[in-house]
Amino acid sequence: MTEVKSPEVTAPAAAVPSESAGWSRLRPFLPLVVLAVALILPYSTLHLPGIFEGALNSPGTLQLLAVCLVFGGLAAGYDLLFGRTGMLSFGHALYFAAGVYGTDILITRVGLPLWQAAPLAIVGGIILAGLVGAVALRTVGIAFAMVTLAFAQVGAILVARDFGGLTGGEEGLPLDVTGVPAGLVGVANTVNLYWLALAYLVVVVFVVHRVSNSPTGRVLAGVRDDERRIGVLGLDPYRFKLVAFTLAGGLAAAGGVVYCLIVGGASPHITSSELTLSLLVMVVLGGPGTRWGPVLGGILYMYLDHRLISVGSSGAIDALPAFLSRPLSQPLFVLGTVFILAVYFFPGGLASLAPRLALLRNALRLGPRRES
């Protein structure tokens, strides 16, 4: 009798413990670790040649980091419009300028102390954003972008022409420090301004995250994906967009207050449309609609914007051939090149870098096992 052999069944491979399991458990605590490092950073005397001109606790480095943190918060607030609601505004610099000039004018011209001028400037920015949004949101698409740009240009013209003798015109308006607490004045107190900028960033990230995870945030995401569907559900997209527009304007005005204290005054370049375009680049570079992408994009963009100026005028760049030294000495050329490469290789921005590297690492780890 012929023995019938049952087909051999290959035993399943033993489950390999995932190396990313531990990382997944620790990942929620990573922001707290980064925050702790940022808080104690001013106590470090570490010097990083080529990255910063001085030690980490030097006033110049702390001021640069403070500016980067402010623009990280600005980019996160702008992402509330662009990445999470789908509104392309070309006038967001107007509300940032309202915070800067509002604080400076109320302290320098009116004589108010900071604790009164700052809330008034923020409230003024919120009211201005609400009024502009009430008009601009009657349009959509490119028309909406052009209307916001028109309002921003009006603000830039008023500042440049020294409306009412308040803004200082093209020369700007230095801040009268007599109305500012002593702890926020002087090179020795740059560390306090750094912590103030860090606090602003934390508040913006917290507000944007809470709004995005709330029912209002889910409606805003629906408006971004399909505004007509939100209308069919019986909700008014206009009201929700106006809330997002006004909130983003208020966050930008708050950033203007902090920026005014860091740089010690106001200058007309913050009213230009180039600032809004820079915010758009920051968000796209970091990853629109993500929690940390716009923050990383804003910090990286401002760091490169400041550092490339000094690098471009260094002797190492001048020693290069003319066809290399000329373009590399222009910060905007280098920034544009970085932006193009980042968008081409990482369409989702810096926020998509970690998942892409994880997939690549898993593919490389599983490749030899499949061959065996």
Side-chain angles (χ1 to χ4, degrees):
M1 182 176 182
T2 306
E3 181 181 0
V4 180
K5 297 182 179 180
S6 59
E8 296 182 357
V9 179
T10 305
V16 180
S18 176
E19 296 178 1
S20 61
W23 168 251
S24 300
R25 290 192 296 267
L26 296 176
R27 187 174 182 180
F29 300 98
L30 182 61
L32 296 178
V33 174
V34 174
L35 178 60
V37 172
L39 285 172
I40 64 176
L41 185 142
Y43 298 104
S44 174
T45 59
L46 179 65
H47 181 61
L48 302 175
I51 300 179
F52 298 109
E53 294 183 355
L56 291 179
N57 64 344
S58 64
T61 301
L62 290 177
Q63 185 180 37
L64 172 59
L65 292 175
V67 172
C68 292
L69 292 174
V70 169
F71 276 87
L74 281 175
Y78 183 74
D79 186 59
L80 184 63
L81 292 179
F82 177 69
R84 301 179 185 274
T85 314
M87 293 187 290
L88 178 60
S89 171
F90 284 158
H92 203 65
L94 178 62
Y95 319 114
F96 178 66
V100 176
Y101 273 96
T103 303
D104 201 351
I105 290 173
L106 290 174
I107 293 177
T108 304
R109 302 296 193 194
V110 182
L112 295 179
L114 176 63
W115 67 271
Q116 293 180 355
L120 288 176
I122 295 174
V123 171
I126 293 174
I127 295 174
L128 179 62
L131 294 175
V132 173
V135 176
L137 289 172
R138 299 293 179 181
T139 60
V140 295
I142 297 300
F144 169 77
M146 292 299 100
V147 170
T148 57
L149 177 61
F151 277 106
Q153 289 299 106
V154 171
I157 293 173
L158 292 177
V159 168
R161 296 188 177 181
D162 195 11
F163 178 75
L166 297 175
T167 64
E170 296 182 357
E171 296 181 358
L173 183 63
L175 180 64
D176 184 3
V177 297
T178 57
V180 181
L184 299 176
V185 179
V187 176
N189 294 314
T190 307
V191 60
N192 296 330
L193 296 173
Y194 166 81
W195 281 325
L196 181 62
L198 180 61
Y200 166 72
L201 175 61
V202 171
V203 170
V204 172
V205 171
F206 175 78
V207 170
V208 173
H209 179 66
R210 289 300 299 269
V211 171
S212 301
N213 291 338
S214 67
T216 299
R218 289 188 283 272
V219 174
L220 294 178
V223 170
R224 176 194 60 197
D225 297 334
D226 192 345
E227 183 175 337
R228 290 177 296 180
R229 182 178 297 177
I230 298 298
V232 171
L233 295 175
L235 301 175
D236 187 1
Y238 173 82
R239 293 183 179 180
F240 285 93
K241 290 194 296 183
L242 182 59
V243 169
F245 194 93
T246 306
L247 178 58
L251 294 175
V257 174
V258 179
Y259 183 80
C260 179
L261 296 174
I262 293 174
V263 301
S267 57
H269 81 276
I270 61 174
T271 64
S272 65
S273 57
E274 294 179 2
L275 179 60
T276 302
L277 293 177
S278 297
L279 292 176
L280 178 61
V281 171
M282 295 174 193
V283 172
V284 175
L285 179 63
T290 60
R291 185 176 184 181
W292 302 109
V295 175
L296 296 176
I299 293 175
L300 178 62
Y301 182 93
M302 289 308 299
Y303 169 79
L304 293 176
D305 186 44
H306 281 72
R307 287 294 297 159
L308 288 176
I309 295 177
S310 58
V311 173
S313 59
S314 63
I317 299 297
D318 294 336
L320 296 175
F323 72 94
L324 289 177
S325 62
R326 290 178 180 176
L328 291 179
S329 63
Q330 301 297 322
L332 290 180
F333 173 82
V334 180
L335 281 174
T337 303
V338 171
F339 176 71
I340 292 173
L341 294 176
V343 171
Y344 182 79
F345 289 104
F346 307 105
L350 296 176
S352 67
L353 181 60
R356 288 173 180 269
L357 292 178
L359 290 175
L360 178 61
R361 184 174 63 251
N362 292 334
L364 294 176
R365 185 172 66 246
L366 294 176
R369 294 176 181 174
R370 290 180 178 177
E371 292 177 359
S372 60

